[in-house]
Amino acid sequence: MVQLELTQRQQTILDYIVRDYIESAAPVGSEYVSQHPGVGLSPATIRNVMADLEEMGYIYHPHVSAGRIPTDKGYRYYVDTLRKMQELTPPQRKAIGRRLKKASDAEALLAEASKTLGRISHQLTLVFSPALRSAALDRLELINLSSSKIAVILSVRSGKIRTIIMEVMSEIRREDLDAVSSLLNERLTGLSLEEIRSTFQNRVKDVQNEETGIVRLLTRSADKVFESAWPWPQFYIGGTPDVIHQPEFDNPATFRAFISLVNDEKVITKVFMKRGLKPGEITVTIGGEHEELKMKDYSTITSVYSAGDARGTIGVIGPRRMRYARVIPLVNYFAKVISTMLS
């Protein structure tokens, strides 16, 4: 949310500090800011403004005699008040489209998108395969595997298929399995897996006592059978060769910590797989705004793309000193292109 307590002069100085630090990765001093065309302020006046901004928590100086560096609050103000995004040019859009259209299937498309966005943004890119929580059920099938096992096959409209093996007390006739399948399809087809999982018992309560016992079995196992997403959704990583050249990773220990973070699937999935977002919505999370302590030195920019009824996530992770004005439109554009190509 945009902070409103800054004067126009304070906004201008903060804007220059953030932009200069993003470009240089070096603390920004008053002398340097005073040289910008249009500032029209002396270094002494700028130092006073800097002191006010520091007291309000927007900037800090790492050493007594050093220039200033933006805090998370300073970056947040900058992102929320960006006056001009660096939108992609028509030639840039065409070049991205050409690369992505070479993909032979959906998986190749997501892999290519991660590599291309990483290369352009110079950040580490992650593209998550569509999560099934919003995918609508297309068909449910029940198949005998043995006298004591059946397969429950779920087909969803995004094209994904999921098979769950279940134990039964005795062999069930094919015609009985077909009858139960037909009944369940009549009541569940078109609903999202999340809806089915949370309302299954109410939708079948009048047929709980059908003679095969399958409905009772599915009721007891609804959380497992209609689970809305796998624990670790598949994701594709790109941009590793580019992000390692960021000054923040000159220290080998810092770089190792970053790679360790990226390899922590639990944290990465939690950070990127945000619920409730609509396709095309952008989320920018900066440093300490992340719930995960491991993310306090990094920023993420994420967006949601659609694949039929399902939703996937594309985003970048990198130092807080990120070119937000350039990367935000990039992430947004890639999400739109992927949605169009998978629709």
Side-chain angles (χ1 to χ4, degrees):
M1 185 175 179
V2 176
Q3 304 285 340
L4 300 177
E5 71 263 25
L6 297 187
T7 66
Q8 184 60 51
R9 177 178 289 185
Q10 290 168 338
Q11 290 182 39
T12 300
I13 300 303
L14 178 60
D15 187 64
Y16 278 122
I17 291 172
V18 175
R19 286 194 287 140
D20 287 342
Y21 184 69
I22 286 174
E23 294 300 321
S24 68
V28 180
S30 57
E31 291 280 355
Y32 189 78
V33 174
S34 69
Q35 295 171 14
H36 281 286
V39 172
L41 298 172
S42 69
T45 300
I46 293 172
R47 282 194 293 274
N48 289 334
V49 176
M50 285 181 166
D52 293 337
L53 290 171
E54 185 167 4
E55 186 176 348
M56 288 186 284
Y58 290 96
I59 58 176
Y60 74 98
H61 57 280
H63 307 291
V64 175
S65 59
R68 265 59 167 193
I69 292 175
T71 62
D72 290 349
K73 185 178 179 181
Y75 281 123
R76 171 53 60 192
Y77 191 93
Y78 172 77
V79 168
D80 288 348
T81 60
L82 273 175
R83 293 159 181 81
K84 186 177 181 182
M85 294 285 188
Q86 297 175 18
E87 298 294 342
L88 281 72
T89 64
Q92 289 172 328
R93 293 170 184 260
K94 288 181 180 178
I96 292 170
R98 282 196 301 269
R99 291 198 66 87
L100 298 188
K101 285 177 182 177
K102 292 179 181 179
S104 57
D105 54 30
E107 290 187 359
L109 170 64
L110 300 183
E112 183 58 46
S114 68
K115 289 189 290 186
T116 304
L117 177 56
R119 189 178 304 118
I120 297 173
S121 67
H122 301 292
Q123 307 296 335
L124 196 76
T125 299
L126 295 101
V127 182
F128 284 78
S129 295
L132 294 187
R133 59 175 169 265
S134 57
L137 179 70
D138 190 45
R139 183 165 180 76
L140 181 150
E141 294 181 78
L142 301 172
I143 298 176
N144 264 323
L145 296 180
S146 69
S147 60
S148 61
K149 291 181 180 180
I150 63 169
V152 182
I153 302 174
L154 306 177
S155 301
V156 296
R157 290 178 182 172
S158 62
K160 296 281 187 179
I161 296 175
R162 186 176 188 190
T163 302
I164 300 95
I165 309 300
M166 304 193 73
E167 299 277 348
V168 292
M169 296 298 292
S170 60
E171 188 169 4
I172 302 172
R173 296 183 304 167
R174 174 71 263 173
E175 54 265 37
D176 290 335
L177 286 177
D178 290 344
V180 175
S181 295
S182 179
L183 181 151
L184 293 174
N185 279 309
E186 182 180 328
R187 301 190 180 198
L188 305 179
T189 296
L191 300 174
S192 72
L193 295 189
E194 196 162 40
E195 284 181 285
I196 296 172
R197 184 167 60 90
S198 61
T199 64
F200 184 79
Q201 184 173 359
N202 287 333
R203 293 181 185 277
V204 298
K205 61 184 179 181
D206 60 319
V207 291
Q208 284 283 341
N209 294 321
E210 54 82 26
E211 62 182 23
T212 69
I214 292 176
V215 171
R216 290 192 300 275
L217 179 61
L218 290 175
T219 300
R220 290 196 300 269
S221 307
D223 284 346
K224 173 187 174 183
V225 175
F226 303 107
E227 188 177 16
S228 57
W230 283 271
W232 312 124
Q234 183 176 8
F235 59 87
Y236 304 87
I237 297 179
T240 305
D242 302 281
V243 75
I244 63 175
H245 295 300
Q246 300 279 9
E248 285 82 354
F249 300 128
D250 287 345
N251 184 324
T254 303
F255 178 65
R256 285 195 298 271
F258 181 67
I259 295 301
S260 175
L261 168 66
V262 174
N263 288 328
D264 190 333
E265 292 186 354
K266 183 177 181 181
V267 170
I268 289 298
T269 300
K270 183 178 180 181
V271 168
F272 277 80
M273 299 297 287
K274 297 180 174 68
R275 295 198 178 201
L277 296 181
K278 298 178 181 179
E281 288 185 343
I282 288 284
T283 301
V284 181
T285 311
I286 301 166
E289 295 175 355
H290 290 100
E291 294 180 7
E292 293 289 334
L293 185 61
K294 291 181 178 180
M295 294 292 299
K296 67 181 180 62
D297 293 324
Y298 310 107
S299 286
T300 56
I301 300 174
T302 59
S303 186
V304 174
Y305 68 86
S306 58
D309 295 314
R311 302 284 183 266
T313 303
I314 180 171
V316 301
I317 176 174
R320 289 173 295 175
R321 188 192 55 83
M322 189 182 290
R323 290 183 169 88
Y324 298 97
R326 180 170 181 265
V327 180
I328 290 172
L330 273 171
V331 173
N332 187 43
Y333 183 69
F334 270 81
K336 289 180 179 177
V337 172
I338 293 173
S339 295
T340 298
M341 296 182 72
L342 292 181
S343 64

